[in-house]
Coordinates of all heavy atoms in Angstrom, one line a residue:
M1 N -24.9 -12.0 23.3 CA -26.4 -12.2 23.6 C -26.9 -13.1 22.5 O -26.7 -12.9 21.3 CB -27.1 -10.8 23.6 CG -28.5 -10.9 23.8 SD -29.1 -11.2 25.5 CE -28.4 -9.9 26.4
T2 N -27.6 -14.1 22.9 CA -28.3 -15.0 22.0 C -29.8 -14.7 22.0 O -30.3 -14.1 22.9 CB -28.1 -16.5 22.3 OG1 -28.7 -16.7 23.6 CG2 -26.6 -16.8 22.4
A3 N -30.5 -15.3 21.0 CA -32.0 -15.1 21.0 C -32.6 -15.7 22.2 O -33.5 -15.2 22.8 CB -32.5 -15.7 19.7
D4 N -32.1 -16.9 22.6 CA -32.6 -17.6 23.8 C -32.4 -16.7 25.1 O -33.3 -16.6 25.9 CB -32.0 -18.9 24.0 CG -32.5 -20.0 23.1 OD1 -33.6 -19.8 22.5 OD2 -31.8 -21.0 22.8
Q5 N -31.2 -16.1 25.2 CA -31.0 -15.2 26.4 C -31.9 -14.0 26.4 O -32.4 -13.6 27.4 CB -29.5 -14.7 26.3 CG -28.5 -15.8 26.6 CD -27.1 -15.4 26.4 OE1 -26.8 -14.7 25.4 NE2 -26.2 -15.8 27.3
L6 N -32.1 -13.4 25.2 CA -32.9 -12.2 25.1 C -34.4 -12.6 25.4 O -35.1 -11.9 26.2 CB -32.8 -11.6 23.7 CG -33.5 -10.3 23.5 CD1 -33.1 -9.2 24.5 CD2 -33.3 -9.8 22.1
R7 N -34.8 -13.7 24.9 CA -36.2 -14.2 25.2 C -36.3 -14.5 26.6 O -37.4 -14.1 27.2 CB -36.4 -15.6 24.4 CG -37.8 -16.1 24.4 CD -38.0 -17.3 23.5 NE -37.6 -17.1 22.1 CZ -36.5 -17.6 21.6 NH1 -35.6 -18.3 22.2 NH2 -36.3 -17.3 20.3
S8 N -35.4 -15.1 27.3 CA -35.4 -15.3 28.7 C -35.5 -14.0 29.6 O -36.3 -14.0 30.5 CB -34.2 -16.1 29.2 OG -34.3 -17.4 28.7
L9 N -34.8 -13.0 29.2 CA -34.8 -11.7 29.9 C -36.2 -11.1 29.8 O -36.8 -10.7 30.8 CB -33.8 -10.8 29.3 CG -32.4 -11.1 29.6 CD1 -31.4 -10.2 28.8 CD2 -32.1 -10.8 31.1
I10 N -36.8 -11.1 28.6 CA -38.1 -10.5 28.4 C -39.1 -11.3 29.2 O -40.0 -10.8 29.9 CB -38.4 -10.4 26.9 CG1 -37.5 -9.4 26.2 CG2 -39.9 -10.0 26.7 CD1 -37.6 -9.4 24.7
A11 N -39.1 -12.6 29.0 CA -40.1 -13.5 29.7 C -40.0 -13.4 31.2 O -41.0 -13.6 31.9 CB -39.9 -14.9 29.3
A12 N -38.8 -13.2 31.8 CA -38.6 -13.1 33.2 C -39.2 -11.8 33.7 O -39.6 -11.7 34.9 CB -37.1 -13.1 33.6
G13 N -39.3 -10.8 32.9 CA -39.8 -9.5 33.3 C -41.3 -9.2 33.0 O -41.9 -8.3 33.5
L14 N -41.8 -10.0 32.0 CA -43.2 -9.8 31.6 C -43.9 -11.1 31.5 O -43.3 -12.0 30.9 CB -43.2 -9.1 30.2 CG -43.1 -7.6 30.1 CD1 -43.0 -7.2 28.6 CD2 -44.3 -6.9 30.7
P15 N -45.2 -11.2 31.9 CA -45.9 -12.4 31.6 C -46.3 -12.4 30.1 O -47.0 -11.5 29.6 CB -47.2 -12.2 32.5 CG -47.4 -10.7 32.6 CD -46.0 -10.2 32.6
C16 N -45.8 -13.4 29.4 CA -46.0 -13.4 27.9 C -46.8 -14.6 27.5 O -46.6 -15.7 27.9 CB -44.6 -13.5 27.2 SG -43.5 -12.1 27.5
D17 N -47.9 -14.3 26.7 CA -48.7 -15.3 26.1 C -48.0 -15.9 24.9 O -48.2 -17.0 24.5 CB -50.1 -14.8 25.7 CG -50.9 -14.4 26.9 OD1 -50.4 -14.2 28.0 OD2 -52.1 -14.4 26.8
H18 N -47.2 -15.0 24.2 CA -46.5 -15.4 23.0 C -45.2 -14.5 23.0 O -45.3 -13.3 23.3 CB -47.3 -15.2 21.8 CG -46.5 -15.5 20.5 ND1 -46.4 -16.8 20.0 CD2 -45.9 -14.7 19.7 CE1 -45.6 -16.7 18.9 NE2 -45.3 -15.4 18.7
L19 N -44.1 -15.1 22.6 CA -42.9 -14.3 22.6 C -42.0 -15.0 21.5 O -41.6 -16.1 21.6 CB -42.1 -14.3 23.9 CG -40.8 -13.6 24.0 CD1 -40.9 -12.2 23.6 CD2 -40.2 -13.8 25.4
D20 N -41.7 -14.2 20.5 CA -40.8 -14.6 19.4 C -39.7 -13.6 19.3 O -39.9 -12.4 19.2 CB -41.6 -14.7 18.1 CG -40.7 -15.3 17.0 OD1 -40.0 -16.3 17.2 OD2 -40.8 -14.7 15.9
V21 N -38.4 -14.1 19.3 CA -37.3 -13.2 19.2 C -36.4 -13.8 18.1 O -36.1 -15.0 18.1 CB -36.5 -13.2 20.5 CG1 -35.2 -12.4 20.4 CG2 -37.3 -12.6 21.6
S22 N -35.9 -12.9 17.2 CA -34.9 -13.3 16.2 C -34.0 -12.2 16.0 O -34.2 -11.0 16.3 CB -35.6 -13.7 14.9 OG -36.4 -12.5 14.4
G23 N -32.8 -12.5 15.5 CA -31.8 -11.4 15.2 C -30.4 -12.0 15.0 O -30.2 -13.2 14.9
D24 N -29.5 -11.1 14.9 CA -28.1 -11.5 14.5 C -27.1 -11.3 15.6 O -25.9 -11.4 15.4 CB -27.7 -10.7 13.3 CG -27.6 -9.2 13.5 OD1 -27.7 -8.8 14.7 OD2 -27.4 -8.5 12.5
G25 N -27.6 -11.0 16.8 CA -26.6 -10.8 17.9 C -26.5 -9.4 18.3 O -26.1 -9.1 19.5
R26 N -26.8 -8.5 17.5 CA -26.8 -7.0 17.8 C -28.2 -6.4 17.4 O -28.7 -5.6 18.2 CB -25.7 -6.3 17.0 CG -24.4 -6.6 17.6 CD -23.3 -5.8 17.0 NE -23.5 -4.4 16.7 CZ -23.3 -3.4 17.6 NH1 -23.0 -3.7 18.9 NH2 -23.5 -2.1 17.3
H27 N -28.8 -6.8 16.3 CA -30.0 -6.2 15.9 C -31.1 -7.3 16.0 O -31.0 -8.4 15.5 CB -29.9 -5.8 14.4 CG -28.9 -4.7 14.2 ND1 -27.6 -5.0 13.9 CD2 -29.0 -3.4 14.4 CE1 -26.9 -3.9 13.8 NE2 -27.7 -2.9 14.1
W28 N -32.1 -7.0 16.8 CA -33.1 -7.9 17.2 C -34.5 -7.5 16.8 O -34.8 -6.3 16.7 CB -33.1 -8.2 18.7 CG -31.8 -8.7 19.2 CD1 -30.8 -8.0 19.7 CD2 -31.4 -10.0 19.1 NE1 -29.8 -8.8 20.0 CE2 -30.1 -10.1 19.7 CE3 -32.0 -11.2 18.7 CZ2 -29.4 -11.3 19.8 CZ3 -31.3 -12.4 18.8 CH2 -30.0 -12.4 19.3
T29 N -35.4 -8.5 16.6 CA -36.8 -8.3 16.4 C -37.6 -9.1 17.3 O -37.2 -10.3 17.5 CB -37.2 -8.7 14.9 OG1 -36.4 -7.9 14.0 CG2 -38.7 -8.4 14.7
A30 N -38.6 -8.6 18.0 CA -39.4 -9.3 18.9 C -40.9 -9.1 18.7 O -41.3 -8.0 18.4 CB -39.0 -8.9 20.4
V31 N -41.6 -10.1 18.8 CA -43.1 -10.1 18.9 C -43.5 -10.5 20.3 O -43.2 -11.6 20.7 CB -43.7 -11.0 17.8 CG1 -45.3 -11.0 18.0 CG2 -43.3 -10.6 16.4
V32 N -44.1 -9.6 21.0 CA -44.4 -9.8 22.4 C -45.9 -9.7 22.6 O -46.5 -8.6 22.3 CB -43.7 -8.8 23.4 CG1 -43.9 -9.2 24.8 CG2 -42.2 -8.8 23.0
V33 N -46.6 -10.7 23.1 CA -48.0 -10.7 23.4 C -48.1 -10.9 24.9 O -47.7 -11.9 25.5 CB -48.7 -11.8 22.7 CG1 -50.2 -11.8 23.0 CG2 -48.5 -11.8 21.2
S34 N -48.7 -9.9 25.6 CA -48.8 -9.9 27.0 C -50.1 -9.2 27.5 O -50.5 -8.1 27.0 CB -47.6 -9.2 27.7 OG -47.7 -9.2 29.1
S35 N -50.7 -9.8 28.5 CA -51.9 -9.1 29.1 C -51.5 -7.9 29.9 O -52.3 -7.0 30.1 CB -52.6 -10.1 30.0 OG -51.8 -10.6 31.0
A36 N -50.2 -7.7 30.2 CA -49.7 -6.6 30.9 C -49.8 -5.3 30.0 O -49.8 -4.2 30.5 CB -48.3 -6.8 31.3
F37 N -50.0 -5.5 28.7 CA -50.1 -4.4 27.8 C -51.5 -3.8 27.7 O -51.8 -2.8 27.1 CB -49.7 -4.8 26.4 CG -48.3 -5.2 26.2 CD1 -47.9 -6.1 25.3 CD2 -47.3 -4.6 27.0 CE1 -46.6 -6.5 25.1 CE2 -46.0 -5.0 26.9 CZ -45.6 -6.0 25.9
E38 N -52.5 -4.4 28.4 CA -53.9 -4.0 28.3 C -54.0 -2.5 28.8 O -53.4 -2.1 29.8 CB -54.8 -4.8 29.3 CG -54.9 -6.2 28.9 CD -55.8 -6.5 27.7 OE1 -56.6 -5.6 27.2 OE2 -55.8 -7.6 27.2
G39 N -54.6 -1.7 28.0 CA -54.8 -0.3 28.3 C -53.6 0.6 28.2 O -53.6 1.8 28.6
R40 N -52.5 0.1 27.6 CA -51.3 0.9 27.4 C -51.1 1.2 26.0 O -51.4 0.5 25.1 CB -50.1 0.0 27.9 CG -50.3 -0.6 29.2 CD -49.4 0.0 30.2 NE -49.5 -0.7 31.5 CZ -49.1 -0.2 32.6 NH1 -48.5 0.9 32.6 NH2 -49.3 -0.9 33.7
R41 N -50.5 2.4 25.8 CA -50.2 2.9 24.4 C -48.9 2.2 24.0 O -48.2 1.6 24.8 CB -49.9 4.4 24.4 CG -51.2 5.2 24.7 CD -51.0 6.7 24.7 NE -50.2 7.0 25.9 CZ -49.1 7.8 25.9 NH1 -48.8 8.5 24.8 NH2 -48.4 8.0 26.9
A42 N -48.6 2.2 22.7 CA -47.4 1.5 22.1 C -46.2 1.9 22.8 O -45.3 1.1 23.1 CB -47.4 1.7 20.6
I43 N -46.0 3.2 23.0 CA -44.7 3.7 23.7 C -44.6 3.1 25.1 O -43.5 2.7 25.5 CB -44.6 5.2 23.7 CG1 -43.2 5.7 24.1 CG2 -45.7 5.8 24.5 CD1 -42.1 5.4 23.1
Q44 N -45.7 3.0 25.8 CA -45.6 2.4 27.1 C -45.3 0.9 27.1 O -44.5 0.4 27.9 CB -47.0 2.6 27.9 CG -47.2 4.1 28.1 CD -48.7 4.3 28.6 OE1 -49.6 3.8 28.0 NE2 -48.8 5.1 29.7
R45 N -45.8 0.3 26.1 CA -45.5 -1.2 26.0 C -44.0 -1.4 25.7 O -43.4 -2.3 26.2 CB -46.4 -1.8 24.8 CG -47.9 -1.7 25.1 CD -48.6 -2.2 23.9 NE -50.1 -2.1 24.1 CZ -51.0 -2.7 23.3 NH1 -50.6 -3.3 22.2 NH2 -52.3 -2.5 23.5
H46 N -43.5 -0.6 24.8 CA -42.1 -0.7 24.4 C -41.2 -0.4 25.6 O -40.2 -1.1 25.9 CB -41.8 0.2 23.3 CG -42.3 -0.2 22.0 ND1 -41.8 0.2 20.7 CD2 -43.4 -1.0 21.7 CE1 -42.5 -0.4 19.8 NE2 -43.5 -1.1 20.3
Q47 N -41.6 0.6 26.4 CA -40.9 0.9 27.6 C -40.9 -0.2 28.6 O -39.9 -0.5 29.3 CB -41.4 2.2 28.3 CG -41.1 3.4 27.5 CD -41.9 4.6 28.0 OE1 -43.0 4.5 28.7 NE2 -41.4 5.8 27.7
M48 N -42.0 -0.9 28.7 CA -42.1 -2.1 29.5 C -41.1 -3.2 29.1 O -40.4 -3.8 29.9 CB -43.5 -2.6 29.6 CG -44.5 -1.7 30.3 SD -46.2 -2.2 30.0 CE -46.3 -3.6 31.1
V49 N -41.0 -3.4 27.8 CA -40.1 -4.4 27.3 C -38.7 -4.0 27.5 O -37.8 -4.8 28.0 CB -40.4 -4.7 25.8 CG1 -39.3 -5.7 25.2 CG2 -41.8 -5.3 25.6
Y50 N -38.4 -2.7 27.2 CA -37.0 -2.2 27.4 C -36.6 -2.4 28.9 O -35.5 -2.7 29.2 CB -36.9 -0.8 27.0 CG -36.8 -0.6 25.5 CD1 -37.6 0.4 24.9 CD2 -35.9 -1.3 24.7 CE1 -37.5 0.6 23.5 CE2 -35.8 -1.1 23.4 CZ -36.6 -0.2 22.8 OH -36.5 0.0 21.4
A51 N -37.6 -2.2 29.8 CA -37.3 -2.3 31.2 C -36.8 -3.7 31.6 O -36.0 -3.9 32.5 CB -38.5 -1.9 32.1
T52 N -37.3 -4.7 30.9 CA -36.9 -6.1 31.2 C -35.4 -6.3 30.8 O -34.8 -7.2 31.3 CB -37.7 -7.1 30.4 OG1 -37.4 -7.0 29.0 CG2 -39.2 -7.0 30.7
L53 N -34.9 -5.4 30.0 CA -33.5 -5.6 29.5 C -32.5 -4.9 30.4 O -31.3 -5.1 30.4 CB -33.3 -5.1 28.1 CG -34.2 -5.7 27.1 CD1 -34.0 -5.1 25.7 CD2 -34.0 -7.2 27.0
G54 N -33.0 -4.0 31.2 CA -32.1 -3.2 32.2 C -31.0 -2.5 31.5 O -31.1 -1.9 30.4
Q55 N -29.8 -2.7 32.1 CA -28.6 -2.0 31.6 C -28.1 -2.5 30.2 O -27.4 -1.9 29.5 CB -27.5 -2.1 32.6 CG -27.7 -1.2 33.8 CD -27.8 0.3 33.4 OE1 -28.9 0.9 33.3 NE2 -26.7 0.9 33.1
R56 N -28.6 -3.7 29.9 CA -28.1 -4.3 28.6 C -28.4 -3.4 27.4 O -27.7 -3.5 26.4 CB -28.7 -5.7 28.4 CG -28.1 -6.7 29.4 CD -28.9 -8.0 29.4 NE -28.4 -8.9 30.4 CZ -28.8 -9.0 31.6 NH1 -29.7 -8.1 32.1 NH2 -28.3 -9.8 32.4
I57 N -29.5 -2.7 27.4 CA -29.9 -1.8 26.3 C -29.0 -0.6 26.3 O -28.7 0.0 25.3 CB -31.4 -1.5 26.3 CG1 -31.8 -0.9 25.0 CG2 -31.7 -0.5 27.4 CD1 -32.0 -2.0 23.9
H58 N -28.5 -0.2 27.5 CA -27.7 1.0 27.6 C -26.2 0.7 27.4 O -25.4 1.6 27.1 CB -27.9 1.7 29.0 CG -29.3 2.1 29.2 ND1 -29.9 3.1 28.5 CD2 -30.2 1.6 30.1 CE1 -31.2 3.2 28.9 NE2 -31.4 2.4 29.9
T59 N -25.8 -0.5 27.6 CA -24.4 -0.8 27.5 C -24.1 -1.4 26.1 O -23.0 -1.9 25.9 CB -23.9 -1.9 28.6 OG1 -24.7 -3.1 28.4 CG2 -24.1 -1.3 30.0
D60 N -25.0 -1.4 25.2 CA -24.9 -1.9 23.9 C -24.8 -3.4 23.8 O -24.5 -3.9 22.7 CB -23.7 -1.2 23.2 CG -23.9 -1.0 21.7 OD1 -25.0 -0.8 21.3 OD2 -22.9 -1.2 21.0
E61 N -25.1 -4.1 24.8 CA -25.2 -5.6 24.8 C -26.3 -6.0 23.8 O -26.2 -6.9 23.1 CB -25.3 -6.1 26.2 CG -25.1 -7.6 26.3 CD -25.1 -8.1 27.7 OE1 -25.0 -7.3 28.6 OE2 -25.3 -9.3 27.8
V62 N -27.4 -5.2 23.9 CA -28.5 -5.3 22.9 C -28.5 -3.9 22.2 O -28.9 -2.9 22.7 CB -29.8 -5.5 23.6 CG1 -31.0 -5.5 22.6 CG2 -29.8 -6.8 24.4
H63 N -27.9 -4.0 21.0 CA -27.7 -2.7 20.2 C -29.0 -2.1 19.7 O -29.3 -0.9 19.9 CB -26.8 -2.9 19.1 CG -26.6 -1.8 18.2 ND1 -25.9 -0.7 18.6 CD2 -27.0 -1.5 17.0 CE1 -25.8 0.3 17.7 NE2 -26.5 -0.2 16.7
A64 N -29.9 -3.0 19.2 CA -31.2 -2.5 18.6 C -32.2 -3.6 18.8 O -32.0 -4.7 18.6 CB -31.0 -2.1 17.1
L65 N -33.4 -3.1 19.2 CA -34.5 -4.0 19.3 C -35.8 -3.4 18.7 O -36.3 -2.4 19.1 CB -34.8 -4.3 20.8 CG -36.0 -5.2 21.1 CD1 -35.9 -6.6 20.5 CD2 -36.2 -5.3 22.6
S66 N -36.2 -4.0 17.6 CA -37.5 -3.6 16.9 C -38.5 -4.6 17.5 O -38.3 -5.8 17.6 CB -37.3 -3.8 15.4 OG -38.5 -3.6 14.8
M67 N -39.7 -4.0 17.9 CA -40.7 -4.9 18.4 C -42.1 -4.6 18.0 O -42.4 -3.4 17.7 CB -40.6 -4.9 20.0 CG -40.9 -3.6 20.6 SD -40.6 -3.6 22.4 CE -39.1 -2.7 22.5
K68 N -42.9 -5.6 18.0 CA -44.4 -5.4 17.9 C -45.0 -6.0 19.1 O -44.6 -7.1 19.6 CB -44.8 -6.2 16.7 CG -44.3 -5.7 15.4 CD -44.9 -6.4 14.2 CE -44.2 -5.9 12.9 NZ -44.9 -5.0 12.1
T69 N -45.8 -5.2 19.7 CA -46.4 -5.6 21.0 C -47.9 -5.7 20.9 O -48.6 -4.8 20.3 CB -46.1 -4.6 22.1 OG1 -46.4 -3.3 21.7 CG2 -44.6 -4.6 22.4
Y70 N -48.5 -6.7 21.4 CA -49.9 -7.0 21.3 C -50.5 -7.4 22.7 O -49.8 -8.1 23.4 CB -50.2 -8.1 20.3 CG -49.8 -7.9 18.9 CD1 -48.5 -8.3 18.5 CD2 -50.6 -7.3 18.0 CE1 -48.0 -8.2 17.2 CE2 -50.1 -7.1 16.7 CZ -48.9 -7.6 16.3 OH -48.4 -7.4 15.0
T71 N -51.8 -7.1 22.9 CA -52.5 -7.7 24.0 C -53.0 -9.1 23.4 O -53.0 -9.3 22.2 CB -53.7 -6.9 24.4 OG1 -54.6 -6.9 23.3 CG2 -53.3 -5.5 24.8
P72 N -53.4 -10.0 24.3 CA -53.9 -11.3 23.7 C -55.1 -11.1 22.8 O -55.2 -11.8 21.7 CB -54.3 -12.0 25.0 CG -53.3 -11.5 26.0 CD -53.2 -10.1 25.7
A73 N -56.0 -10.2 23.1 CA -57.1 -9.9 22.2 C -56.7 -9.4 20.8 O -57.2 -9.8 19.8 CB -58.1 -9.0 22.9
E74 N -55.7 -8.5 20.8 CA -55.2 -7.9 19.6 C -54.5 -9.0 18.7 O -54.6 -9.1 17.5 CB -54.2 -6.8 19.8 CG -54.8 -5.6 20.4 CD -53.8 -4.6 21.0 OE1 -52.6 -5.0 21.2 OE2 -54.1 -3.4 21.2
W75 N -53.8 -9.9 19.4 CA -53.1 -11.0 18.8 C -54.1 -12.0 18.1 O -54.0 -12.4 17.0 CB -52.3 -11.7 19.8 CG -51.4 -12.8 19.3 CD1 -51.5 -14.1 19.6 CD2 -50.3 -12.7 18.4 NE1 -50.5 -14.9 19.0 CE2 -49.7 -14.0 18.2 CE3 -49.7 -11.6 17.8 CZ2 -48.6 -14.2 17.4 CZ3 -48.6 -11.8 16.9 CH2 -48.0 -13.1 16.8
R76 N -55.2 -12.3 18.8 CA -56.3 -13.1 18.3 C -56.9 -12.4 17.1 O -57.2 -13.0 16.1 CB -57.3 -13.5 19.3 CG -56.8 -14.5 20.3 CD -58.0 -15.0 21.2 NE -58.6 -14.0 22.0 CZ -58.1 -13.5 23.2 NH1 -57.0 -14.1 23.7 NH2 -58.7 -12.6 23.8
A77 N -57.2 -11.1 17.2 CA -57.9 -10.4 16.2 C -57.0 -10.3 14.9 O -57.5 -10.2 13.8 CB -58.2 -8.9 16.7
A78 N -55.7 -10.4 15.1 CA -54.8 -10.4 14.0 C -54.7 -11.8 13.3 O -54.0 -12.0 12.4 CB -53.4 -9.9 14.4
G79 N -55.4 -12.7 13.9 CA -55.5 -14.1 13.4 C -54.3 -14.9 13.7 O -54.0 -15.9 13.1
Q80 N -53.6 -14.6 14.8 CA -52.4 -15.3 15.2 C -52.6 -16.3 16.2 O -51.7 -17.1 16.5 CB -51.3 -14.3 15.6 CG -51.0 -13.2 14.6 CD -50.4 -13.9 13.4 OE1 -49.6 -14.8 13.5 NE2 -50.7 -13.4 12.2
A81 N -53.7 -16.3 16.9 CA -53.9 -17.3 18.0 C -54.6 -18.5 17.5 O -55.2 -18.6 16.5 CB -54.7 -16.7 19.1

């Protein structure tokens, strides 16, 4: 798995205003900004991202994914937009 492949999987499953993925092939970090996160708690947001990975998260193709999830408004408020 490459960063581009992981980014493509997440982007195919969620509408992303911003998506940054980095890692070493097994351990990944992602910053995901999506309007789909509106009104959702952090655990629900993470579940949504994990759902885009399907079996890859269960088969160890993606061993670990640490993520920060934001709505577009939260991202702007953090001074990132």
Side-chain angles (χ1 to χ4, degrees):
M1 179 75 59
T2 67
D4 285 338
Q5 289 170 321
L6 187 54
R7 190 177 301 106
S8 292
L9 288 169
I10 295 170
L14 277 174
C16 297
D17 290 23
H18 175 84
L19 177 58
D20 182 45
V21 176
S22 60
D24 63 9
R26 286 186 44 84
H27 299 93
W28 298 98
T29 302
V31 176
V32 185
V33 180
S34 177
S35 58
F37 296 149
E38 296 286 347
R40 310 246 185 199
R41 295 178 293 136
I43 188 73
Q44 293 170 314
R45 295 174 183 193
H46 289 202
Q47 289 169 338
M48 291 169 72
V49 175
Y50 284 132
T52 68
L53 304 178
Q55 287 301 102
R56 289 170 182 87
I57 199 75
H58 300 293
T59 62
D60 210 34
E61 194 174 342
V62 176
H63 177 71
L65 176 61
S66 172
M67 66 185 104
K68 295 188 187 255
T69 55
Y70 300 92
T71 65
E74 291 166 342
W75 185 243
R76 284 189 302 276
Q80 301 299 321

